Amino acid sequence: MKKLLLIIVVSLLLSGNAYANEMVSIEKYLSDKDPEDHGATIYSLIRCSGLELFFATIMQEKAPDVSKLSKEQSGEFALFASKLDSIISKRKFEESAKNMINSSQEIMGYYIKDGIKNWNKTGSYFLESYIDEDRLLCDYIYKTQIKK
């Protein structure tokens, strides 16, 4: 009886994680952060940069012009984050930029994994997921902070 119960519990745990996401939405991440937390701000900007790289990747073949725009916006988010990181951490800008680009590419990988999981569930890379929430937030940040 104990073996059967153990098998059921393990099966439920494994099946529940089949669609577990790599990340939570940016908004959820920020929900318990202090508005003055510069690290959280930098992280959010890099998440937006990684998200734009994700969009550039999935749009590359079907809409190269949209892909190019997403790459440019990714760079603008990373530049903004690099400047802020350089000021806050007192690192050389080049070092901050290298760190931000590497982080952005790593985050893009997480979005790709979650996008594929979402595609398998819904037929869309981002609709009905935290990725769509991030898209809306990053679009707002881009329009109000990056391209004022």
Side-chain angles (χ1 to χ4, degrees), residues 36-97:
E36 301 298 317
D37 183 344
H38 297 297
T41 302
I42 292 167
Y43 176 75
S44 299
L45 292 167
I46 289 305
R47 281 280 300 266
C48 291
S49 177
L51 179 65
E52 290 297 338
L53 284 178
F54 164 68
F55 287 135
T57 301
I58 64 173
M59 299 303 289
Q60 196 165 7
E61 288 183 27
K62 290 188 177 186
D65 52 331
V66 174
S67 176
K68 182 180 178 197
L69 180 62
S70 288
K71 283 181 189 173
E72 290 170 3
Q73 288 180 350
S74 172
E76 291 177 74
F77 276 116
L79 177 63
F80 202 89
S82 299
K83 288 177 181 177
L84 183 57
D85 180 66
S86 180
I87 292 166
I88 301 302
S89 68
K90 297 183 178 16
R91 277 191 276 266
K92 291 184 178 180
F93 173 78
E94 293 77 16
E95 185 180 345
S96 289

Side-chain angles (χ1 to χ4, degrees), residues 1-11:
M1 184 66 173
K2 286 183 181 181
K3 277 187 175 181
L4 179 61
L5 184 59
L6 180 64
I7 290 171
I8 291 171
V9 169
V10 170
S11 296

Side-chain angles (χ1 to χ4, degrees), residues 86-125:
S86 180
I87 292 166
I88 301 302
S89 68
K90 297 183 178 16
R91 277 191 276 266
K92 291 184 178 180
F93 173 78
E94 293 77 16
E95 185 180 345
S96 289
K98 182 180 176 184
N99 290 341
M100 297 304 113
I101 290 168
N102 289 340
S103 296
S104 177
Q105 290 172 341
E106 182 179 344
I107 287 170
M108 175 195 63
Y110 296 139
Y111 277 118
I112 289 172
K113 286 179 184 178
D114 288 346
I116 290 169
K117 288 176 193 173
N118 202 62
W119 177 270
N120 291 333
K121 285 192 314 188
T122 68
S124 169
Y125 286 109

